[in-house]
Every structure is written in structure tokens, then in C-alpha cells.
Amino acid sequence: MNRIFSGVQPTGNLHLGNYLGAIRNFVRLQHDYECIYCVVDQHAITMWQEPAELRRATREVAAAFIAAGVDAKKQIVFNQSAVPAHSQLAWIFNCVARMGWLNRMTQFKEKAGKDRENASAGLYVYPNLMAADILAYKATHVPVGEDQKQHLELTRDIAQKFNNDFSVPDFFPLTEPLILGEATRVMSLRDGSKKMSKSDPSDYSRINLTDDADAIALKIRKAKTDPLPMPATEAEAETRPEVDNLLGIYAALSDRQRSDILAEFAGREFSAFKKALTDLAVEKLGPINADMKRLLADPGYVDQVLKDGATRARAIADEVYDIVGFLRP
Ligand code: AQP
């Protein structure tokens, strides 16, 4: 069976974008693939994280996977740092990947910003760790958004060079991207040109998976729009980014086409659409929210799921060392 690896960073408040862009797909994919879902805490620390907050966020991401419907008994759910193979293989890949390859990575340039000299070395070699995450399990497919495509190409280059260097032609697979229909990119509720993000300082910019019905209603009511009524066509919606974003959220949550939703709401007051969106969001996110609360009230249970996942992950990940020539007395 084909195998998927995917991860989410425990870097703050999980939000609707993480759900629609990643976690919901994790649930859907488990019917057709063997799935390994990781809370990538080592990636998270490429930027400073408060230790206590990192622990809390790690449990929150694991709880969100389970609450959304990932079957942690059938699939593997664990946190990255609990399986040493990720860092060990990443070190091997630091020695396989070339500086020139890493220098081309656009995400490093974006995240490091103008102050490149002051970025962590971890942020620079982050793509090698991502390659290790994927190849430690010989994952055949990775669901990727636009922003991660370049890193997956690097993973394929690393796999190919490793296989050549060590004369093991088929050891690492050339992992394929998994494109899941039209990508859902959820934008900030305050600014339709910025993506919804865990690290946005404004809590009103996002719907957190831990928000209750009142908080969801308040944030949708306050979401930035314009004074015009609902647009009639998709082309008209596209000229109004905040409106287009709410329409996209409605479409994704209801699994309906944008055109279908516009046919229902065209020309109506925006407040009627916001009310319907609130009801829909509460209906879809309410059960996940309740289950996350239940799970987070029992951290011992979440830790046990992660521990069990790590044990099963470790059993798959340890094969590479003999090939490299590491003595393991
Ligand atoms: N706004 C979004 N719309 C759709 N998908 C999104 N994802 C993130 N934001 C959106 C998807 O969620 C998964 C987990 O992402 P990550 O934890 O690796 O970090 P990220 O992409 O950097 O997410 P954030 O929320 O924006 O976090 P910060 O603020 O820490 O950078 C990925 O599959 C991502 O595509």
C-alpha cells in the first residue's frame, strides 16, 4: 500500500486554515493510504518557542488530529523528537545535500527576511530535516501545498543522490506530491491578502480550532468585508478578497461549489451570508472543538497515543544506518 507522511508544526493556535488545508485531508486520506502523521516539534524550534508552550501546542496538534477523525490505532500519530531517526537521518542528509541546493530555497529567504545573518542554522537546513521526515518512512506520497513543492523537489534530489552515492538504486523512493483537487487557502479574517496563520498577533484574524460557538460567531461577525451585498458571480467575488475568502471557507466547509453558494446568496445582505457561515462553521467545528477539549483535559491519554505512535514509527525508521556504514554495537 502507498504510504503518506505529513506533519503540522506545534507553533501556536491551530486554526481553520490548518484544518481545511491539512488536517481534514489527513482524515480523508487514511481510507486509501497507510498514513504517518507527525507533530513536527523539531521544525517548530527553528524559530524560538517557549518550552511550556511547545509542550502544550504539541498535545493540541495531536488532539486535533484525533478529534478531527484520524484513527491513531490504525495510523501512526507521534511527535517528531520522540523518534531519533529524524535528526540522525537529517544529519546524513546535511552531508548529502549541497549548499547550492539549499541556497535556492525560497521559504528560507522569506522566513529569514532581511536579517539572514541572525536566522538559526536550523531554519537553513530545515528542508533536509523535512526530507528525513519523509524518507525515514519511505513515504511514497506527501500532500503538499504550493509553499512546500520546492522542498519536496529537494527531497527527491536528496533521495536520488543518496541512492547513487551508496549504490542502493531503489532504497529511497522518489516521493510524489499529492495534489488534492483545488487547494483550500484560507486567508486572514482581517486582511484578505494575508494567509490565516497561527503566528498572526491578532486573534481576530483566525478561527482557532479551540474557539467555542460564541467566539466563532463573534469573529465571523467582525470579519472584514465591504458595504456591498453578496456578489452574483465568481469573477465579481474575486475582486473583493475578504468576500472571496469567506465564500471559499463556506464552499470548503460545505463541500459545495462556489457558484452554487453564490446562486443561493447573490444580491442578499452580507449579514445573512455571515449568519449562514457561522451556523455552518459551528456545526462542522463544534464536535471537533468538544472532542479536543475532552482530550486536552486528559494529557496522559494524548501522551500515550504519541508514545505508542513513536514506538511504531521507530520500528520503520531505523533501516538506513547499515547502508551508511554506521556501526551499531
Ligand atoms: N491559511 C491556510 N490555509 C490553508 N492551509 C494552511 N496551512 C497553514 N495555513 C493555512 C496548512 O496547514 C499545515 C500545517 O502547517 P505548518 O504547521 O507546517 O505551518 P504553516 O504552514 O507555517 O502554518 P501557519 O498556521 O501559518 O503557522 P505559522 O504561523 O507558525 O507559520 C500545512 O499543510 C499548511 O499548508
Side-chain angles (χ1 to χ4, degrees), residues 155-210:
T155 300
R156 291 161 61 90
D157 289 342
I158 289 174
Q160 204 151 32
K161 186 167 187 310
F162 180 100
N163 290 351
N164 281 337
D165 289 355
F166 292 96
S167 306
V168 282
D170 299 316
F171 185 71
F172 286 129
L174 299 184
T175 308
E176 299 281 346
L178 198 68
I179 312 292
L180 300 160
E182 196 193 331
T184 308
R185 192 168 163 81
V186 180
M187 310 308 280
S188 157
L189 299 181
R190 310 301 298 163
D191 177 352
S193 66
K194 270 171 47 186
K195 79 165 190 153
M196 189 177 281
S197 168
K198 299 188 206 95
S199 51
D200 193 313
S202 166
D203 200 49
Y204 282 100
S205 69
R206 64 180 162 260
I207 295 175
N208 300 312
L209 293 187
T210 47

Tab-separated table of all heavy atoms in Angstrom, residues 155-210:
chain	number	residue	atom	x	y	z
A	155	THR	N	13.696	16.987	-1.632
A	155	THR	CA	13.649	15.636	-1.051
A	155	THR	C	13.943	14.585	-2.130
A	155	THR	O	14.699	13.634	-1.902
A	155	THR	CB	12.244	15.372	-0.441
A	155	THR	OG1	12.012	16.337	0.578
A	155	THR	CG2	12.127	13.978	0.138
A	156	ARG	N	13.388	14.786	-3.307
A	156	ARG	CA	13.620	13.834	-4.403
A	156	ARG	C	15.087	13.879	-4.846
A	156	ARG	O	15.696	12.842	-5.108
A	156	ARG	CB	12.696	14.149	-5.576
A	156	ARG	CG	11.231	13.848	-5.272
A	156	ARG	CD	10.290	14.580	-6.224
A	156	ARG	NE	10.475	14.219	-7.599
A	156	ARG	CZ	9.829	13.228	-8.222
A	156	ARG	NH1	8.933	12.534	-7.569
A	156	ARG	NH2	10.072	12.943	-9.474
A	157	ASP	N	15.660	15.077	-4.897
A	157	ASP	CA	17.079	15.197	-5.276
A	157	ASP	C	17.972	14.490	-4.252
A	157	ASP	O	18.935	13.810	-4.606
A	157	ASP	CB	17.491	16.682	-5.362
A	157	ASP	CG	16.861	17.384	-6.566
A	157	ASP	OD1	16.410	16.671	-7.486
A	157	ASP	OD2	16.790	18.626	-6.563
A	158	ILE	N	17.634	14.670	-2.972
A	158	ILE	CA	18.425	14.025	-1.915
A	158	ILE	C	18.305	12.505	-2.024
A	158	ILE	O	19.304	11.778	-1.942
A	158	ILE	CB	17.962	14.518	-0.523
A	158	ILE	CG1	18.395	15.978	-0.312
A	158	ILE	CG2	18.508	13.626	0.586
A	158	ILE	CD1	17.871	16.602	0.975
A	159	ALA	N	17.082	12.010	-2.234
A	159	ALA	CA	16.864	10.561	-2.336
A	159	ALA	C	17.697	9.989	-3.483
A	159	ALA	O	18.398	8.978	-3.332
A	159	ALA	CB	15.379	10.276	-2.567
A	160	GLN	N	17.668	10.709	-4.620
A	160	GLN	CA	18.380	10.215	-5.798
A	160	GLN	C	19.893	10.210	-5.559
A	160	GLN	O	20.571	9.239	-5.893
A	160	GLN	CB	18.051	11.138	-6.965
A	160	GLN	CG	18.211	10.487	-8.305
A	160	GLN	CD	17.257	11.124	-9.313
A	160	GLN	OE1	16.954	12.319	-9.210
A	160	GLN	NE2	16.800	10.348	-10.274
A	161	LYS	N	20.409	11.269	-4.959
A	161	LYS	CA	21.860	11.351	-4.734
A	161	LYS	C	22.292	10.289	-3.718
A	161	LYS	O	23.314	9.629	-3.905
A	161	LYS	CB	22.258	12.757	-4.256
A	161	LYS	CG	23.778	12.939	-4.149
A	161	LYS	CD	24.141	14.406	-3.998
A	161	LYS	CE	25.644	14.647	-4.067
A	161	LYS	NZ	26.466	13.810	-3.202
A	162	PHE	N	21.500	10.110	-2.653
A	162	PHE	CA	21.823	9.085	-1.665
A	162	PHE	C	21.852	7.710	-2.348
A	162	PHE	O	22.805	6.942	-2.182
A	162	PHE	CB	20.782	9.096	-0.534
A	162	PHE	CG	21.052	8.060	0.534
A	162	PHE	CD1	21.670	8.420	1.729
A	162	PHE	CD2	20.689	6.727	0.353
A	162	PHE	CE1	21.935	7.469	2.708
A	162	PHE	CE2	20.953	5.767	1.326
A	162	PHE	CZ	21.571	6.148	2.509
A	163	ASN	N	20.823	7.405	-3.111
A	163	ASN	CA	20.747	6.094	-3.776
A	163	ASN	C	21.953	5.876	-4.692
A	163	ASN	O	22.499	4.765	-4.762
A	163	ASN	CB	19.452	5.982	-4.594
A	163	ASN	CG	18.214	5.883	-3.707
A	163	ASN	OD1	18.311	5.727	-2.493
A	163	ASN	ND2	17.035	5.969	-4.312
A	164	ASN	N	22.397	6.944	-5.384
A	164	ASN	CA	23.583	6.839	-6.251
A	164	ASN	C	24.857	6.684	-5.439
A	164	ASN	O	25.662	5.784	-5.669
A	164	ASN	CB	23.754	8.108	-7.102
A	164	ASN	CG	22.830	8.096	-8.286
A	164	ASN	OD1	22.383	7.036	-8.725
A	164	ASN	ND2	22.509	9.280	-8.797
A	165	ASP	N	25.025	7.571	-4.441
A	165	ASP	CA	26.271	7.589	-3.660
A	165	ASP	C	26.528	6.243	-2.989
A	165	ASP	O	27.667	5.797	-2.900
A	165	ASP	CB	26.211	8.674	-2.573
A	165	ASP	CG	26.284	10.084	-3.134
A	165	ASP	OD1	26.483	10.223	-4.356
A	165	ASP	OD2	26.129	11.051	-2.349
A	166	PHE	N	25.471	5.637	-2.484
A	166	PHE	CA	25.645	4.393	-1.724
A	166	PHE	C	25.302	3.154	-2.556
A	166	PHE	O	25.188	2.052	-2.016
A	166	PHE	CB	24.814	4.435	-0.429
A	166	PHE	CG	25.338	5.462	0.552
A	166	PHE	CD1	24.784	6.731	0.623
A	166	PHE	CD2	26.424	5.171	1.370
A	166	PHE	CE1	25.282	7.687	1.500
A	166	PHE	CE2	26.929	6.116	2.253
A	166	PHE	CZ	26.363	7.379	2.314
A	167	SER	N	25.117	3.340	-3.850
A	167	SER	CA	24.822	2.226	-4.762
A	167	SER	C	23.656	1.363	-4.272
A	167	SER	O	23.751	0.144	-4.199
A	167	SER	CB	26.064	1.336	-4.963
A	167	SER	OG	27.136	2.123	-5.383
A	168	VAL	N	22.591	2.047	-3.882
A	168	VAL	CA	21.361	1.329	-3.488
A	168	VAL	C	20.223	1.931	-4.344
A	168	VAL	O	19.426	2.739	-3.868
A	168	VAL	CB	21.057	1.481	-1.978
A	168	VAL	CG1	21.935	0.572	-1.147
A	168	VAL	CG2	21.269	2.947	-1.500
A	169	PRO	N	20.182	1.533	-5.636
A	169	PRO	CA	19.376	2.276	-6.605
A	169	PRO	C	17.929	2.529	-6.198
A	169	PRO	O	17.393	3.578	-6.508
A	169	PRO	CB	19.440	1.401	-7.863
A	169	PRO	CG	20.479	0.372	-7.624
A	169	PRO	CD	20.845	0.362	-6.180
A	170	ASP	N	17.315	1.591	-5.495
A	170	ASP	CA	15.883	1.787	-5.200
A	170	ASP	C	15.602	1.975	-3.722
A	170	ASP	O	14.474	1.796	-3.284
A	170	ASP	CB	15.087	0.566	-5.710
A	170	ASP	CG	15.248	0.408	-7.201
A	170	ASP	OD1	15.160	1.439	-7.900
A	170	ASP	OD2	15.503	-0.726	-7.665
A	171	PHE	N	16.637	2.320	-2.941
A	171	PHE	CA	16.403	2.352	-1.486
A	171	PHE	C	15.369	3.411	-1.105
A	171	PHE	O	14.322	3.110	-0.552
A	171	PHE	CB	17.709	2.569	-0.725
A	171	PHE	CG	17.506	2.478	0.763
A	171	PHE	CD1	17.235	1.247	1.350
A	171	PHE	CD2	17.547	3.607	1.565
A	171	PHE	CE1	17.005	1.154	2.723
A	171	PHE	CE2	17.313	3.522	2.932
A	171	PHE	CZ	17.044	2.293	3.509
A	172	PHE	N	15.656	4.656	-1.405
A	172	PHE	CA	14.663	5.707	-1.116
A	172	PHE	C	13.786	5.912	-2.343
A	172	PHE	O	14.293	6.000	-3.467
A	172	PHE	CB	15.342	7.032	-0.750
A	172	PHE	CG	15.949	7.047	0.624
A	172	PHE	CD1	17.262	7.456	0.805
A	172	PHE	CD2	15.207	6.672	1.741
A	172	PHE	CE1	17.830	7.484	2.082
A	172	PHE	CE2	15.768	6.700	3.017
A	172	PHE	CZ	17.080	7.094	3.182
A	173	PRO	N	12.485	6.000	-2.150
A	173	PRO	CA	11.603	6.265	-3.289
A	173	PRO	C	11.700	7.736	-3.711
A	173	PRO	O	12.174	8.567	-2.935
A	173	PRO	CB	10.212	5.988	-2.712
A	173	PRO	CG	10.344	6.312	-1.263
A	173	PRO	CD	11.768	5.960	-0.876
A	174	LEU	N	11.293	8.019	-4.938
A	174	LEU	CA	11.170	9.428	-5.349
A	174	LEU	C	9.736	9.832	-5.022
A	174	LEU	O	8.811	9.585	-5.783
A	174	LEU	CB	11.490	9.583	-6.834
A	174	LEU	CG	12.915	9.168	-7.217
A	174	LEU	CD1	13.197	9.449	-8.683
A	174	LEU	CD2	13.954	9.872	-6.337
A	175	THR	N	9.589	10.408	-3.845
A	175	THR	CA	8.256	10.692	-3.297
A	175	THR	C	7.473	11.653	-4.198
A	175	THR	O	8.014	12.651	-4.672
A	175	THR	CB	8.417	11.301	-1.883
A	175	THR	OG1	9.263	10.434	-1.135
A	175	THR	CG2	7.082	11.466	-1.190
A	176	GLU	N	6.221	11.289	-4.414
A	176	GLU	CA	5.362	12.099	-5.305
A	176	GLU	C	4.525	13.084	-4.494
A	176	GLU	O	4.035	12.727	-3.413
A	176	GLU	CB	4.361	11.182	-6.034
A	176	GLU	CG	4.971	10.132	-6.912
A	176	GLU	CD	5.418	10.705	-8.249
A	176	GLU	OE1	5.009	11.830	-8.571
A	176	GLU	OE2	6.200	10.021	-8.927
A	177	PRO	N	4.303	14.269	-5.042
A	177	PRO	CA	3.352	15.174	-4.369
A	177	PRO	C	1.932	14.679	-4.590
A	177	PRO	O	1.639	14.070	-5.615
A	177	PRO	CB	3.558	16.505	-5.109
A	177	PRO	CG	4.120	16.133	-6.442
A	177	PRO	CD	4.854	14.831	-6.275
A	178	LEU	N	1.110	14.908	-3.616
A	178	LEU	CA	-0.293	14.519	-3.754
A	178	LEU	C	-1.093	15.803	-3.831
A	178	LEU	O	-1.143	16.577	-2.874
A	178	LEU	CB	-0.705	13.711	-2.519
A	178	LEU	CG	-1.942	12.884	-2.652
A	178	LEU	CD1	-1.707	11.737	-3.627
A	178	LEU	CD2	-2.292	12.301	-1.287
A	179	ILE	N	-1.653	16.050	-4.974
A	179	ILE	CA	-2.416	17.284	-5.170
A	179	ILE	C	-3.888	16.929	-4.963
A	179	ILE	O	-4.431	16.084	-5.670
A	179	ILE	CB	-2.194	17.859	-6.589
A	179	ILE	CG1	-0.702	17.903	-6.922
A	179	ILE	CG2	-2.862	19.216	-6.748
A	179	ILE	CD1	0.134	18.884	-6.140
A	180	LEU	N	-4.500	17.583	-3.987
A	180	LEU	CA	-5.859	17.199	-3.599
A	180	LEU	C	-6.871	18.199	-4.149
A	180	LEU	O	-7.363	19.054	-3.427
A	180	LEU	CB	-5.966	17.147	-2.079
A	180	LEU	CG	-5.024	16.153	-1.421
A	180	LEU	CD1	-4.831	16.476	0.022
A	180	LEU	CD2	-5.554	14.746	-1.600
A	181	GLY	N	-7.165	18.087	-5.415
A	181	GLY	CA	-8.156	18.969	-6.029
A	181	GLY	C	-7.776	20.428	-5.845
A	181	GLY	O	-6.605	20.766	-5.679
A	182	GLU	N	-8.749	21.285	-5.827
A	182	GLU	CA	-8.484	22.718	-5.693
A	182	GLU	C	-7.998	22.989	-4.261
A	182	GLU	O	-8.662	22.611	-3.295
A	182	GLU	CB	-9.777	23.494	-5.952
A	182	GLU	CG	-9.535	24.963	-6.210
A	182	GLU	CD	-10.834	25.762	-6.149
A	182	GLU	OE1	-11.884	25.192	-6.446
A	182	GLU	OE2	-10.758	26.938	-5.777
A	183	ALA	N	-6.823	23.597	-4.157
A	183	ALA	CA	-6.259	23.830	-2.824
A	183	ALA	C	-7.119	24.828	-2.053
A	183	ALA	O	-7.583	25.814	-2.615
A	183	ALA	CB	-4.844	24.364	-2.967
A	184	THR	N	-7.311	24.540	-0.773
A	184	THR	CA	-8.040	25.487	0.065
A	184	THR	C	-7.019	26.349	0.780
A	184	THR	O	-6.284	25.859	1.630
A	184	THR	CB	-8.868	24.731	1.125
A	184	THR	OG1	-9.654	23.761	0.460
A	184	THR	CG2	-9.764	25.677	1.889
A	185	ARG	N	-6.929	27.590	0.399
A	185	ARG	CA	-6.014	28.509	1.084
A	185	ARG	C	-6.882	29.507	1.824
A	185	ARG	O	-7.544	30.344	1.209
A	185	ARG	CB	-5.115	29.190	0.056
A	185	ARG	CG	-3.966	29.930	0.665
A	185	ARG	CD	-2.975	30.314	-0.433
A	185	ARG	NE	-2.053	31.343	-0.006
A	185	ARG	CZ	-0.963	31.119	0.717
A	185	ARG	NH1	-0.675	29.907	1.098
A	185	ARG	NH2	-0.165	32.110	1.060
A	186	VAL	N	-6.894	29.390	3.126
A	186	VAL	CA	-7.753	30.252	3.931
A	186	VAL	C	-6.971	31.510	4.292
A	186	VAL	O	-5.831	31.429	4.758
A	186	VAL	CB	-8.208	29.508	5.215
A	186	VAL	CG1	-9.107	30.400	6.044
A	186	VAL	CG2	-8.921	28.216	4.845
A	187	MET	N	-7.579	32.657	4.075
A	187	MET	CA	-6.892	33.914	4.321
A	187	MET	C	-7.331	34.502	5.671
A	187	MET	O	-8.351	34.092	6.245
A	187	MET	CB	-7.169	34.910	3.187
A	187	MET	CG	-6.945	34.351	1.791
A	187	MET	SD	-5.327	33.575	1.539
A	187	MET	CE	-4.315	35.018	1.274
A	188	SER	N	-6.565	35.483	6.137
A	188	SER	CA	-6.871	36.143	7.407
A	188	SER	C	-8.256	36.792	7.353
A	188	SER	O	-8.649	37.330	6.319
A	188	SER	CB	-5.797	37.216	7.654
A	188	SER	OG	-6.284	38.206	8.525
A	189	LEU	N	-8.972	36.761	8.479
A	189	LEU	CA	-10.293	37.396	8.521
A	189	LEU	C	-10.172	38.923	8.572
A	189	LEU	O	-11.157	39.628	8.420
A	189	LEU	CB	-11.077	36.913	9.751
A	189	LEU	CG	-11.376	35.416	9.841
A	189	LEU	CD1	-12.180	35.101	11.101
A	189	LEU	CD2	-12.117	34.905	8.616
A	190	ARG	N	-8.954	39.433	8.825
A	190	ARG	CA	-8.749	40.885	8.908
A	190	ARG	C	-8.153	41.463	7.631
A	190	ARG	O	-8.159	42.670	7.443
A	190	ARG	CB	-7.794	41.234	10.083
A	190	ARG	CG	-8.126	40.628	11.409
A	190	ARG	CD	-9.487	41.000	11.917
A	190	ARG	NE	-9.634	42.440	12.139
A	190	ARG	CZ	-10.808	43.059	12.279
A	190	ARG	NH1	-11.925	42.366	12.191
A	190	ARG	NH2	-10.872	44.352	12.480
A	191	ASP	N	-7.545	40.582	6.805
A	191	ASP	CA	-6.841	41.070	5.617
A	191	ASP	C	-6.807	39.939	4.578
A	191	ASP	O	-6.066	38.960	4.744
A	191	ASP	CB	-5.419	41.489	6.031
A	191	ASP	CG	-4.572	41.937	4.852
A	191	ASP	OD1	-5.032	41.786	3.692
A	191	ASP	OD2	-3.457	42.433	5.079
A	192	GLY	N	-7.614	40.094	3.549
A	192	GLY	CA	-7.771	39.033	2.550
A	192	GLY	C	-6.532	38.764	1.713
A	192	GLY	O	-6.515	37.833	0.913
A	193	SER	N	-5.472	39.551	1.922
A	193	SER	CA	-4.258	39.291	1.135
A	193	SER	C	-3.216	38.497	1.924
A	193	SER	O	-2.180	38.114	1.394
A	193	SER	CB	-3.639	40.626	0.674
A	193	SER	OG	-3.176	41.331	1.812
A	194	LYS	N	-3.504	38.250	3.222
A	194	LYS	CA	-2.546	37.504	4.068
A	194	LYS	C	-3.148	36.166	4.436
A	194	LYS	O	-4.350	36.097	4.729
A	194	LYS	CB	-2.317	38.268	5.386
A	194	LYS	CG	-1.176	39.252	5.319
A	194	LYS	CD	-1.086	40.155	6.536
A	194	LYS	CE	-1.192	39.491	7.888
A	194	LYS	NZ	-1.236	40.478	8.995
A	195	LYS	N	-2.339	35.082	4.487
A	195	LYS	CA	-2.954	33.800	4.841
A	195	LYS	C	-3.257	33.743	6.336
A	195	LYS	O	-2.571	34.391	7.150
A	195	LYS	CB	-2.087	32.631	4.381
A	195	LYS	CG	-0.912	32.308	5.234
A	195	LYS	CD	-0.359	30.922	4.879
A	195	LYS	CE	0.668	30.542	5.925
A	195	LYS	NZ	0.860	29.148	6.155
A	196	MET	N	-4.297	33.007	6.667
A	196	MET	CA	-4.614	32.790	8.080
A	196	MET	C	-3.431	32.043	8.685
A	196	MET	O	-2.950	31.069	8.110
A	196	MET	CB	-5.904	31.970	8.211
A	196	MET	CG	-6.432	31.868	9.615
A	196	MET	SD	-8.009	30.965	9.731
A	196	MET	CE	-9.192	32.196	9.219
A	197	SER	N	-2.962	32.494	9.844
A	197	SER	CA	-1.706	31.961	10.355
A	197	SER	C	-1.735	31.847	11.880
A	197	SER	O	-2.304	32.701	12.562
A	197	SER	CB	-0.588	32.908	9.897
A	197	SER	OG	0.592	32.614	10.561
A	198	LYS	N	-1.064	30.809	12.390
A	198	LYS	CA	-1.002	30.604	13.846
A	198	LYS	C	-0.307	31.779	14.524
A	198	LYS	O	-0.605	32.122	15.655
A	198	LYS	CB	-0.170	29.365	14.180
A	198	LYS	CG	-0.666	28.063	13.634
A	198	LYS	CD	0.178	26.931	14.226
A	198	LYS	CE	0.226	25.696	13.362
A	198	LYS	NZ	1.397	25.637	12.476
A	199	SER	N	0.685	32.329	13.817
A	199	SER	CA	1.521	33.327	14.480
A	199	SER	C	1.035	34.759	14.259
A	199	SER	O	1.694	35.690	14.706
A	199	SER	CB	2.972	33.176	14.003
A	199	SER	OG	3.001	33.150	12.601
A	200	ASP	N	-0.117	34.952	13.598
A	200	ASP	CA	-0.638	36.321	13.454
A	200	ASP	C	-0.977	36.855	14.841
A	200	ASP	O	-1.698	36.209	15.612
A	200	ASP	CB	-1.893	36.300	12.564
A	200	ASP	CG	-2.296	37.702	12.129
A	200	ASP	OD1	-2.335	38.606	12.991
A	200	ASP	OD2	-2.564	37.895	10.942
A	201	PRO	N	-0.446	38.049	15.206
A	201	PRO	CA	-0.701	38.558	16.561
A	201	PRO	C	-2.187	38.808	16.835
A	201	PRO	O	-2.608	38.795	18.000
A	201	PRO	CB	0.086	39.871	16.615
A	201	PRO	CG	0.631	40.114	15.252
A	201	PRO	CD	0.461	38.886	14.425
A	202	SER	N	-3.006	39.040	15.807
A	202	SER	CA	-4.423	39.304	16.055
A	202	SER	C	-5.228	38.010	16.097
A	202	SER	O	-5.308	37.277	15.111
A	202	SER	CB	-4.992	40.207	14.959
A	202	SER	OG	-6.407	40.186	15.043
A	203	ASP	N	-5.864	37.754	17.255
A	203	ASP	CA	-6.678	36.540	17.378
A	203	ASP	C	-7.931	36.639	16.498
A	203	ASP	O	-8.505	35.622	16.123
A	203	ASP	CB	-7.058	36.335	18.850
A	203	ASP	CG	-7.466	34.897	19.126
A	203	ASP	OD1	-6.715	33.971	18.724
A	203	ASP	OD2	-8.550	34.677	19.703
A	204	TYR	N	-8.319	37.861	16.156
A	204	TYR	CA	-9.485	38.053	15.279
A	204	TYR	C	-9.179	37.730	13.815
A	204	TYR	O	-10.059	37.723	12.976
A	204	TYR	CB	-10.017	39.485	15.400
A	204	TYR	CG	-10.827	39.671	16.655
A	204	TYR	CD1	-10.268	40.265	17.786
A	204	TYR	CD2	-12.142	39.220	16.734
A	204	TYR	CE1	-10.999	40.408	18.956
A	204	TYR	CE2	-12.882	39.362	17.889
A	204	TYR	CZ	-12.308	39.957	18.993
A	204	TYR	OH	-13.044	40.089	20.144
A	205	SER	N	-7.902	37.452	13.521
A	205	SER	CA	-7.542	37.126	12.138
A	205	SER	C	-7.874	35.679	11.804
A	205	SER	O	-7.888	35.297	10.654
A	205	SER	CB	-6.045	37.351	11.922
A	205	SER	OG	-5.304	36.368	12.651
A	206	ARG	N	-8.102	34.870	12.846
A	206	ARG	CA	-8.286	33.433	12.583
A	206	ARG	C	-9.385	32.845	13.464
A	206	ARG	O	-9.693	33.372	14.540
A	206	ARG	CB	-6.974	32.669	12.826
A	206	ARG	CG	-6.540	32.712	14.231
A	206	ARG	CD	-5.260	31.987	14.568
A	206	ARG	NE	-4.838	32.537	15.864
A	206	ARG	CZ	-3.917	33.458	16.026
A	206	ARG	NH1	-3.187	33.863	15.007
A	206	ARG	NH2	-3.680	33.962	17.214
A	207	ILE	N	-9.931	31.709	12.984
A	207	ILE	CA	-10.823	30.910	13.820
A	207	ILE	C	-9.984	29.756	14.345
A	207	ILE	O	-9.480	28.936	13.562
A	207	ILE	CB	-12.030	30.408	13.009
A	207	ILE	CG1	-12.872	31.609	12.577
A	207	ILE	CG2	-12.854	29.402	13.810
A	207	ILE	CD1	-14.040	31.278	11.674
A	208	ASN	N	-9.777	29.749	15.651
A	208	ASN	CA	-8.981	28.678	16.255
A	208	ASN	C	-9.832	27.427	16.395
A	208	ASN	O	-11.042	27.515	16.614
A	208	ASN	CB	-8.507	29.093	17.653
A	208	ASN	CG	-7.647	30.333	17.612
A	208	ASN	OD1	-6.725	30.429	16.808
A	208	ASN	ND2	-7.954	31.291	18.474
A	209	LEU	N	-9.186	26.263	16.313
A	209	LEU	CA	-9.958	25.021	16.492
A	209	LEU	C	-10.452	24.891	17.932
A	209	LEU	O	-11.338	24.102	18.212
A	209	LEU	CB	-9.119	23.800	16.095
A	209	LEU	CG	-8.776	23.705	14.604
A	209	LEU	CD1	-8.089	22.386	14.288
A	209	LEU	CD2	-10.010	23.870	13.724
A	210	THR	N	-9.883	25.677	18.844
A	210	THR	CA	-10.355	25.643	20.235
A	210	THR	C	-11.422	26.714	20.511
A	210	THR	O	-11.905	26.819	21.636
A	210	THR	CB	-9.173	25.851	21.210
A	210	THR	OG1	-8.410	26.961	20.751
A	210	THR	CG2	-8.282	24.630	21.290
